[in-house]
Amino acid sequence: MRSRSVRWSALSFLLLPLLAIGAYADSITLGTAGSYAVLAGSTVTNTGPSVLNGNLGVSPGSAVTGFPPGMVNGTINKANGPAAQAQSDLTAAYIQAAGLASTGTLTGQDLGGKVLTPGVYFFASSAQLTGTLTLNAQGHPNALFVFQIGSALTTASNSAVIFTNGLVDKNVFWQVGSSATLGTGTAFAGNILALTSITMNTGAGISCGSALARNGAVTLDNNVIGGGCGGGGGGGTTVPEPGTISLMGGGLIILAGVARRKLRI
């Protein structure tokens, strides 16, 4: 009896790393949309010296105004093939984010003052950020945060999203069922995937992430988007490849088998 107990303890210990990997194995893949700081469905309108660190695109619409004085450190694509492909990839990412199983429900709660760990957070209707939201990556470089918002996302003036215990490098996604509005001076982070439109009021910024709207407009006013990430790629979350996970899992299973045989002796 004691031998069996020891055997299962050894197996559990060996499988812990695999379980830990599984906790971060989900990924939101932006595809070509990941290279865009701003992507809109109808128009992009800018006021003032906004700076976009990445591409700017609009499709199927073609109207882009306010550049200059706005600056794009990338390519401007208007109603062309690359913009259409980016919109297709954005739609796929939006559907993927909306389809993830939630790990927590925050309906009716203000995000301000909360400290959240990696997970998928669900709002049945709108979401509000007043003050500071802290995302605790728990020291994991592949930590993934997804916010599923049924309708609108709104931030109050001078609100902020900050990280503790590690940067998450674009692994934050805001799937918004209607439109997103960032209040004046908001220091935001993450990729906004909005079904309709995105409005960024004066001085609001997205240090690490993007403003991606499927059907409506993106409206800018002296904003800085992108360029503030601590490293990592821009096409999706940086998680182990499936092949890597399989190899590690296979190795752990072999080790578990060896441990079982030795415990029988």
Side-chain angles (χ1 to χ4, degrees):
M1 188 70 180
R2 182 179 177 184
S3 175
R4 179 178 297 177
S5 176
V6 171
R7 182 161 61 246
W8 281 112
S9 296
L11 288 171
S12 300
F13 177 78
L14 288 167
L15 291 174
L16 278 175
L18 185 59
L19 293 173
I21 292 170
Y24 297 92
D26 284 324
S27 171
I28 305 299
T29 304
L30 287 174
T32 62
S35 67
Y36 285 77
V38 167
L39 182 63
S42 58
T43 63
V44 176
T45 304
N46 173 64
T47 301
S50 294
V51 178
L52 307 184
N53 294 299
N55 296 334
L56 182 158
V58 58
S59 177
S62 60
V64 175
T65 61
F67 294 90
M71 179 184 298
V72 180
N73 294 317
T75 302
I76 298 178
N77 290 308
K78 300 185 291 183
N80 58 9
Q85 182 61 56
Q87 276 290 356
S88 177
D89 291 344
L90 169 58
T91 298
Y94 181 96
I95 293 171
Q96 184 182 12
L100 292 178
S102 67
T103 59
T105 298
L106 297 177
T107 302
Q109 301 181 44
D110 195 311
L111 286 165
K114 291 190 179 298
V115 178
L116 300 178
T117 53
V120 179
Y121 296 95
F122 175 76
F123 291 82
S125 53
S126 62
Q128 173 75 29
L129 170 60
T130 305
T132 299
L133 167 65
T134 301
L135 303 180
N136 181 355
Q138 298 182 316
H140 202 293
N142 300 324
L144 175 64
F145 295 85
V146 178
F147 296 88
Q148 300 169 326
I149 301 168
S151 55
L153 167 65
T154 307
T155 74
S157 296
N158 301 313
S159 296
V161 178
I162 64 173
F163 303 116
T164 59
N165 295 318
L167 296 172
V168 294
D169 298 344
K170 289 195 174 183
N171 288 2
V172 180
F173 296 87
W174 304 80
Q175 178 260 316
V176 182
S178 58
S179 298
T181 301
L182 302 189
T184 300
T186 292
F188 204 70
N191 302 284
I192 301 175
L193 317 180
L195 179 62
T196 310
S197 62
I198 300 172
T199 299
M200 297 186 63
N201 289 316
T202 306
I206 303 176
S207 60
C208 181
S210 55
L212 310 176
R214 290 179 55 188
N215 300 316
V218 175
T219 303
L220 307 172
D221 183 357
N222 191 21
N223 312 118
V224 177
I225 300 178
C229 301
T237 63
T238 52
V239 299
E241 294 293 331
T244 303
I245 295 174
S246 298
L247 287 171
M248 291 184 70
L252 288 169
I253 291 170
I254 292 171
L255 286 174
V258 172
R260 292 183 64 182
R261 285 195 296 270
K262 288 186 176 181
L263 287 168
R264 286 173 181 171
I265 299 172

